[in-house]
Structures are given as C-alpha cells and as structure tokens.
Amino acid sequence: RRRGDPGHPRMSANLKQSLLARSDWFAREIMKGVRASEHAYITPAQSRLLAHMGGKPMSMAELARRLAISRQAVHRTVGELVRRGILEVLDDPQRRNSKRVAYTERGRQVNRIGAQIIAEIEQRLARKLGARRVETLRDLLDADWD
C-alpha cells in the first residue's frame, strides 16, 4: 500500500492502529504460507490460538484471556484442532476442574512449520527494510514498556 491509501499505517491516527495494521499484515502473510502448506485446513482463528500458545501447554482460561474471546469460542476452536490431531486436552494438575491444552506430536510438527513460515516472512522483511531495522523493531517490541 502507498501513502495516501487509507489502509496505510502512516495514515493511522495513532500507534495502536499502526501496530494493529502491521499485526494484521503479518497474520495475512502467515495464512498465505499456511495455505501453501500441507496444513491448508488451518483457519485464521486456529492459527491465532496456536500462536498464543507459543508451543507450550496452556489453560483454556488463559487462552480465552489472551485471545479476548469467550471460553466457549476457545473450546470450539480447540475442539477442531483436537479432531485434527494437533492439540490434546488434559486435566490441569494444579487446578481442579480445569483443563490444559497441549500440542500432540503432530501439533509440534505443525508448530515447526509455522516457525519456518514466520522465519521466511522475517527474512523477506529484512530484505525489504534492512536487517538492522528489523532487529531494531524487534528490540523495541521486546523492550520493557511497563
């Protein structure tokens, strides 16, 4: 997109809108990679849930908080991924009546493919923007803002 295009981040009213626009761009690029892979069945909602898990087990409640969606929506999305053999639901040993979501072996393979897709996007960004600028962006985003 070019400057002057209403969807261009520089036309955004504030930093949050720019961050959201770039996050949306990154999610679309990830989905392009997913659709070109053997896991083309993964939906944007499923991709987002898996991204929030970051390869680690997590409680259903924490996923709902991170995704800012209802527990019912998390259960539905997790259920779809369980049927695909990507996730499994386990009892949470630390909390009674609570469930944790974990990757299966197949899920870990999907996670590795996702990491490769993200690395390729980052490489494209580095070619377009310059490696130093991408590293600066990463440093700024990783900085303690609190």
Side-chain angles (χ1 to χ4, degrees), residues 81-95:
L81 292 166
V82 167
R83 283 189 291 284
R84 293 281 188 177
I86 294 171
L87 296 178
E88 60 185 338
V89 178
L90 309 167
D91 290 331
D92 188 334
Q94 274 128 24
R95 293 196 180 105

Side-chain angles (χ1 to χ4, degrees), residues 44-118:
Q46 293 167 351
S47 175
R48 190 168 173 246
L49 183 140
L50 294 170
H52 277 276
M53 286 182 67
K56 299 179 185 117
M58 189 170 291
S59 73
M60 293 271 203
E62 179 63 18
L63 278 169
R65 276 191 293 279
R66 287 183 179 209
L67 292 162
I69 61 175
S70 70
R71 286 189 189 190
Q72 292 83 359
V74 168
H75 279 272
R76 189 169 39 254
T77 304
V78 166
E80 294 164 0
L81 292 166
V82 167
R83 283 189 291 284
R84 293 281 188 177
I86 294 171
L87 296 178
E88 60 185 338
V89 178
L90 309 167
D91 290 331
D92 188 334
Q94 274 128 24
R95 293 196 180 105
R96 249 178 90 205
N97 299 328
S98 187
K99 300 289 183 187
R100 292 187 65 76
V101 181
Y103 282 83
T104 62
E105 182 51 42
R106 182 171 188 214
R108 285 187 283 281
Q109 292 170 353
V110 168
N111 191 49
R112 285 190 291 275
I113 290 168
Q116 290 171 343
I117 291 168
I118 291 169

Side-chain angles (χ1 to χ4, degrees), residues 122-138:
E122 290 180 6
Q123 289 168 3
R124 285 192 351 244
L125 276 175
R127 285 192 301 273
K128 184 169 181 129
L129 302 176
R132 184 176 299 149
R133 290 176 78 192
V134 171
E135 195 57 39
T136 298
L137 176 60
R138 185 186 318 279

